[in-house]
Amino acid sequence: MSVTGITKNLEALSFTLTAEFDAGVERVWQLWEDPRQLERWWGPPNYPATFDRFDFQPGGKADYYMTTPEGEKPRGWWRFTSIRAPHKLEFDDGFADEHGEPVAEMGAGHVTVTLEEDGGRTNMKVATIFDSEEQMEQMVQMGMEEGMREAVGQIDAILAEHANA
């Protein structure tokens, strides 16, 4: 499995997932910048994501929903704050209502994705900083750790397809 570790630090209000992939940085970066590839792994296997807006530039916004096994469609949003291809991506991340508007009472997290080349392989770090301890605890209770582990666990298969194409 590609996930090599998960660290939760309540004091720092941070949740960090690390992973390693048998592909170069440029290829792993494509999984973030291309919404069709992102849809294939953003969300656990039983909760596929659909991005209906994806303006991949600083200040741009992405809107998406995940389809649950029961057919419900919880929504989320990203606001891109920094993009330094192919090594670093930062965005604010939160829940949205059925109209795609941020749900303020759920708060937002600030996500930093870092990709580093290591001998033809890529080390990826996805670090989320939360607004409050309560928000972080709520996200962990909602299954963030398992969900992220399962979501990122799908990346190896996508990379293998590309390598064999």
Side-chain angles (χ1 to χ4, degrees), residues 1-77:
M1 186 174 224
S2 52
V3 175
T4 57
I6 291 180
T7 307
K8 293 173 281 200
N9 183 334
L10 266 179
E11 228 172 68
L13 302 177
S14 68
F15 175 97
T16 304
L17 176 141
T18 54
E20 186 175 294
F21 302 103
D22 193 19
V25 166
E26 295 277 349
R27 175 63 189 115
V28 176
W29 179 262
Q30 291 171 356
L31 298 174
W32 287 97
E33 74 177 352
D34 177 355
R36 302 296 76 92
Q37 291 186 58
L38 192 55
E39 287 174 338
R40 297 190 57 205
W41 69 270
W42 185 255
N46 294 333
Y47 291 79
T50 302
F51 282 81
D52 28 37
R53 173 169 42 176
F54 196 77
D55 184 14
F56 193 68
Q57 62 181 335
K61 189 174 178 191
D63 295 317
Y64 69 93
Y65 60 88
M66 292 183 182
T67 304
T68 71
E70 300 76 31
E72 296 172 358
K73 295 186 176 182
R75 300 191 69 83
W77 59 268

Side-chain angles (χ1 to χ4, degrees), residues 97-154:
D97 65 19
E98 64 275 5
H99 306 292
E101 296 301 317
V103 178
E105 59 269 16
M106 293 294 287
H110 184 74
V111 179
T112 302
V113 179
T114 309
L115 303 177
E116 295 179 356
E117 188 100 23
D118 183 14
R121 296 180 61 82
T122 298
N123 294 316
M124 179 175 80
K125 180 167 81 170
V126 181
T128 303
I129 303 294
F130 296 94
D131 291 337
S132 68
E133 190 173 312
E134 296 76 26
Q135 179 199 22
M136 182 176 172
E137 287 175 346
Q138 181 180 18
M139 293 303 297
V140 170
Q141 290 295 318
M142 290 174 69
M144 181 178 184
E145 180 174 347
E146 182 181 343
M148 285 290 292
R149 186 181 298 274
E150 289 179 0
V152 172
Q154 300 172 107

